[in-house]
Every structure is written in C-alpha cells, then in structure tokens.
Amino acid sequence: MPELPEVETIRRTLAGHLTDARVTGVRLIWPGAFQGWGELDFAGILTGKRIQGLERRGKYLLIHLDEGWSLVAHMRMTGRLLYFSASQEIGPHTRGVFELNQGELHFQDVRKFGRILAVPSAAVNEVRGLAALGPEPLEQEFTPDVLRNRLRGKKTCLKSALLDQRVLAGLGNIYTDEALFRARLSPERPAASLEREEAEKLTAAIKEVLKAGIEAQGTSFRDYRDANGRKGEFQRSLQVYGRQGQLCTACGGILVSKRLGGRTAVFCPACQV
DNA sequence: ATACTCCCCTGTGGGC
DNA sequence: TGCCCACAGGGGAGTA
C-alpha cells in the first residue's frame, strides 16, 4: 500500500506522538507480523525502551529506540500504524498494540503482509530488502545520470525497472504510473533505452510527483491512512492510475491498462512514447 | 546476476 | 440476489 509519500506522511504524523515516548507493554495479537532478533523475542526487546526518532528509507519506516535498538516496519499493501492518545479497543485487523507511557500505537493490517522487525540499530543495514535499496529519489544525489546508470543493462521494461526497489527506493504502482505519464514515457519502453533528455524528464517527473504526493499527504485510493487515521488527498490529482478507459487529461484519448511484469500499468498510448 | 512466476492474505467489485 | 473469479499502494522465494 503505502509508497514513499505515504510512508513519509506516516513518519511525519507519528513523530510528534512517539518521540520520547516509552514502550510500557506490547500485545501481539497476530504474532506472525513481528520478529525479534536471534533468541530475543520482540516484546522483550521493546518493553521499557524509549523512542528516540523516526526515519524513512524508501518504503521502510525505522523507529529508533534507545539502548541501540530499532524497529524496521514495512506496511506492504494494507498496513497501518495508528496512534491513539488514550486506550483504544482493538479492531478485527489489529495485529499488535504498543502501549506507551502516553497513548497507544496500533498496527493494523487486513492482508497480513506487513512486518515489523526489532533489530540492533547497527544491523539495520543488513536487513533483507533494506540492504540493497537504491537511491532516495528526493535526495539531490538522485540525478538523470544516476537514473541512467541504474537502468543500464536492464532487459525489462521501464515500468518494471522503476518498481524494483534496488533501482531506486520508494516508488510503487501508483507513483510509477503517474511519473511516467508526466514524463510522457511509455511504461513498455525498454528500461535501458532512455536518451539523456528522457532521463532528465523522468527524473524531474519522479521528484515532482513524489513531492506533490507528500504535500497532499498521500494517496488514499482505498486503504491508506496516516498515523491519525486521516486519508490523503492525492487521489484527486491522479492522472492515470485507476483511470483506465477514461480520457487522457493531455490529449483526450483513451487511457489503457496493461499487465507488465505482473503489475497493472495504466497509460496513454498516444502521449506516452 | 537477472528476470520471470507464484505465493503470502483478506476484501471487494464486476460479470454472469 | 448470489457466486465465482480476478484483482488490489508489495516483495520474498523459487525457478530457469
């Protein structure tokens, strides 16, 4: 579910509530979502620790605790981290509750794909998935040259390459479709075929659409909510995602959807070349 | 290494 | 109306 703008919004809406809070207890309702470290169990690691700060890397949310521990959380498709200032009844999809000295943090996840790991802060970079993460698209270091280098030698289409978190971190199905439309590039283009000028357009489009997504506090196409349970607004600004069969906002043609690398891409076959 | 497909789950919406 | 199937903001395992 959450892509970079949604995870960033969760981080921002959670930071004020959690920073300096102490974990007083942990209730694992569906333990499969939580993983400890070696012989140390998840609840044992957390209990008593104080939260020092929150960090985002790609679609991962890192919650840094004192005494050298961190939580690595990934929402996958339907995960939510919700903060409540007072004790709150659990819902049917609540997989775990972090009791704090002030309030509670609930992890909800309909599809049970999301995971939260407790790891030594020094070992965060070794966590599978995090280890091979590509560059952060909103950092200055992410340039057209970097993008072209990352796509060099790839045999897949542009859409699949952009979804590969090792190429760059944080794009998912919504924002790849939107970025490709803004750059007027077809998702079917061979990833390695971008000319210099096209890479410039795509780099700019990726940065713009992610910034706009963050500004709108994410896309609530269906499940996504921030830490306060609020929806985002970016679904109102989507130009292609979910609009197959509707009119292209640029040329008035019909948007098409096509399965590429196991995911659905929506695009304008006339505008995007 | 790279690039596919399948799979993990539950809920929903469209077609019949 | 009800049933069945396909599909859903993701990514890991397994396979060529």
Side-chain angles (χ1 to χ4, degrees):
Chain A
M1 164 186 20
E3 306 180 28
L4 187 154
E6 289 74 36
V7 179
E8 178 61 21
T9 303
I10 292 171
R11 188 192 70 75
R12 292 181 184 187
T13 50
L14 219 41
H17 298 307
L18 295 194
T19 304
D20 292 330
R22 192 174 290 279
V23 180
T24 55
V26 180
R27 285 148 54 201
L28 304 186
I29 295 148
W30 188 71
F34 306 92
Q35 193 180 308
W37 184 260
E39 299 297 304
L40 302 173
D41 75 281
F42 186 86
I45 293 169
L46 255 74
T47 307
K49 300 276 192 300
R50 200 173 53 82
I51 296 170
Q52 295 185 315
L54 285 80
E55 182 189 358
R56 181 194 56 74
R57 291 198 208 166
K59 302 175 193 172
Y60 290 85
L61 181 69
L62 308 185
I63 301 176
H64 296 299
L65 310 166
D66 60 3
E67 299 177 40
W69 286 90
S70 294
L71 297 182
V72 176
H74 200 301
M75 307 295 130
R76 293 288 183 95
M77 300 284 264
T78 55
R80 293 176 180 176
L81 279 169
L82 297 174
Y83 176 81
F84 301 100
S85 55
S87 179
Q88 172 79 18
E89 200 127 330
I90 63 166
H93 305 122
T94 306
R95 308 306 179 192
V97 175
F98 303 78
E99 294 162 351
L100 309 170
N101 58 339
Q102 195 168 339
E104 291 181 348
L105 179 65
H106 288 220
F107 179 60
Q108 299 183 349
D109 187 15
V110 169
R111 292 178 70 179
K112 298 183 178 174
F113 289 165
R115 294 290 181 270
I116 302 182
L117 286 52
V119 302
S121 302
V124 159
N125 290 323
E126 298 159 29
V127 172
R128 158 179 302 291
L130 265 176
L133 223 46
E136 286 287 334
L138 290 179
E139 295 294 315
Q140 287 214 324
E141 294 78 40
F142 180 65
T143 63
D145 284 337
V146 169
L147 179 61
R148 276 183 101 192
N149 285 337
R150 296 244 142 202
L151 296 176
R152 183 177 302 160
K154 291 250 172 260
K155 294 282 183 269
T156 45
C157 63
L158 207 41
K159 169 78 175 178
S160 296
L162 294 178
L163 284 173
D164 185 341
Q165 301 299 296
R166 297 167 300 183
V167 171
L168 80 165
L171 286 184
N173 213 19
I174 293 179
Y175 294 94
T176 50
D177 275 3
E178 296 299 314
L180 287 168
F181 176 76
R182 288 183 181 222
R184 300 293 189 266
L185 289 167
S186 168
E188 299 186 278
R189 275 281 293 276
S193 73
L194 288 197
E195 301 296 337
R196 160 94 210 180
E197 197 178 314
E198 294 173 323
E200 285 172 8
K201 284 200 318 195
L202 182 54
T203 303
I206 289 170
K207 288 175 186 274
E208 282 168 19
V209 78
L210 291 176
K211 281 183 194 164
I214 292 171
E215 213 150 300
Q217 299 179 82
T219 304
S220 290
F221 198 73
R222 49 192 334 160
D223 301 297
Y224 168 73
R225 299 293 184 276
D226 71 16
N228 297 315
R230 280 199 275 273
K231 295 184 180 188
E233 297 292 340
F234 199 64
Q235 62 278 8
R236 304 196 304 192
S237 305
L238 297 176
Q239 300 190 76
V240 283
Y241 180 85
R243 296 193 64 239
Q244 58 272 34
Q246 299 180 41
L247 302 184
C248 170
T249 55
C251 77
I254 304 285
L255 300 178
V256 302
S257 84
K258 188 164 185 177
R259 208 122 177 112
L260 294 175
R263 307 296 299 279
T264 299
V266 183
F267 61 103
C268 175
C271 292
Q272 295 176 250
V273 293

